[in-house]
Amino acid sequence: MMKRPFRFLLLGLALLPAACGDFPEPMMGYPGRMGMILAHPPPQRIVVPVPHRALLDDASASVFATDLTNSLVAQTIPAFAQKPDRGDWVLAATASLTGDLVTPTYSIVDPRGHVQGHITGTPLPSSAWANGDAATLGEAATAVGPRLASLLSDIDAALKENDPHSLYNRPPRVEFFGMKGAPGDGDQSLAKEMRKDLPGLGVVLVDQRDTADYLVRGASRLSTVDANTQHIDIMWTVQTADGKEVGKVTQPHDFPKGSLDTYWGDVAVVAVSAAAPGVKEVIDNNIGKRAAPHPSPAAKTS
C-alpha cells in the first residue's frame, strides 16, 4: 500500500544521524508531501454609498452602488452598499462628461474624510451611462474591482508603515496555548519546540491575553489508515486577540502504527522547524507585511 507521509519529516529526518531518535528506520525513506493552509485576512471594511455625483438618476446610481459593492466582495473585501456610519471607510464614485464620453472616478475616503487614493475608470459612452444601461454599469464596476482591491492594499500598507506603534513596525506579541491531542509526549515536545522557535522568528511570547496581539493554538488529530499505519494531522491555528481565526498551518503525516506512542524526540524538532515559519507567515500576512524568506528547506507554503 502506498503510504502518504509528510515531506517535512522526510527532509528533516534525512539530516539526522541514523542512530538518533526512537523511530523505526522505514520512516526515514518514505516519499511524501507537506501542506500548509494559509488564510489571508480581508482588507478594511468599506462602505459604498449611492453615488449622487456620478451623472446617474437615483435608481441607476443605487444599482451602480450595488454593482461596485459586489465587485469588491468578489475581491474578498468586506463591502456594503449603504450610508456610511462614523468610523467607516468609503468608496465615493463620481463621473465627468467630456464630449460623448463619461469617465467615472473612484476615491477611497478614510473615516476622517481624507481622500487616501483614487482611480480613474475607463471612459464609457455617455448615452449608455446616462440611460443607466445595466450592462454598462455592471462592466464598469467589474473592471475596476481588482484595481480598487490593489489600491486598498497599498493604502493599508502605507498607513501601517507610517505608524510607529503599528504591528508593521514592532514585533508581534503572541500568547501560545500549547499543543493538544498528540500521542506519546508529542504535546509537550511540540509545544517546547514551538516556544523555542517562534522568538527566533521575531515573535515576542507573552503569558496574558490582554497584552497579546495574536493567539496560537496547537491541536493534533490521530486516525488509523490500516493495520500497520496511522495518520496524524498537526494543526497550528492563529487567532487575533479577540479570537478571530486569521490562518492555519496544517501538517498531515502517515507513520507506522505505534511509532509515536512514546517519545517524539527529533521528530518534534523537525516538525516545528517547518511549522513555525508558517505560523509567522500567517501573522505577517494578517499584519500586511511581506514575510521574510526563512532558511528551512521544508517550510514551503501554498
Side-chain angles (χ1 to χ4, degrees), residues 3-39:
K3 293 183 169 60
R4 299 168 297 164
F6 186 20
R7 183 167 297 169
F8 78 74
L9 289 175
L10 169 67
L11 295 176
L13 289 173
L15 303 177
L16 300 176
C20 73
D22 301 297
F23 300 91
E25 284 289 327
M27 288 189 69
M28 302 180 69
Y30 293 161
R33 62 182 174 82
M34 180 179 74
M36 287 188 178
I37 304 171
L38 304 179

Side-chain angles (χ1 to χ4, degrees), residues 43-60:
Q44 180 66 263
R45 162 193 163 102
I46 192 163
V47 165
V48 186
V50 175
H52 294 295
R53 297 173 56 198
L55 304 181
L56 294 167
D57 60 48
D58 288 346
S60 299

Side-chain angles (χ1 to χ4, degrees), residues 214-216 236-240 244-247 279 282-283:
Y214 293 95
L215 315 175
V216 174
W236 308 91
T237 301
V238 182
Q239 300 171 306
T240 55
K244 176 186 175 183
E245 183 175 322
V246 295
V279 170
V282 171
I283 293 172

Side-chain angles (χ1 to χ4, degrees), residues 93-119:
T94 60
S96 59
L97 178 65
T98 304
D100 59 355
L101 294 176
V102 167
T103 302
T105 300
Y106 310 93
S107 299
I108 305 297
V109 184
D110 69 20
R112 300 169 300 170
H114 298 167
V115 175
Q116 294 290 341
H118 67 273
I119 290 174

Side-chain angles (χ1 to χ4, degrees), residues 42-44 89 150-162 168 285-288:
Q44 180 66 263
W89 285 71
S150 179
L151 176 61
L152 284 167
S153 179
D154 290 344
I155 291 170
D156 185 59
L159 291 174
K160 288 174 179 175
E161 287 178 8
N162 291 325
Y168 205 95
N285 285 341
N286 187 256
I287 294 170

Side-chain angles (χ1 to χ4, degrees), residues 41-97:
Q44 180 66 263
R45 162 193 163 102
I46 192 163
V47 165
V48 186
V50 175
H52 294 295
R53 297 173 56 198
L55 304 181
L56 294 167
D57 60 48
D58 288 346
S60 299
S62 180
V63 169
F64 191 44
T66 300
D67 288 341
L68 287 170
T69 300
N70 292 338
S71 180
L72 290 173
V73 170
Q75 301 299 315
T76 69
I77 295 171
F80 303 88
Q82 63 184 53
K83 292 181 179 180
D85 293 325
R86 183 176 181 180
D88 282 335
W89 285 71
V90 174
L91 171 60
T94 60
S96 59
L97 178 65

Side-chain angles (χ1 to χ4, degrees), residues 8 31 35 49 115 135 152 160 167 209 250 259 275 302:
F8 78 74
V115 175
L152 284 167
K160 288 174 179 175
L167 279 167
R209 181 176 297 195
T250 303
S259 60
S302 62

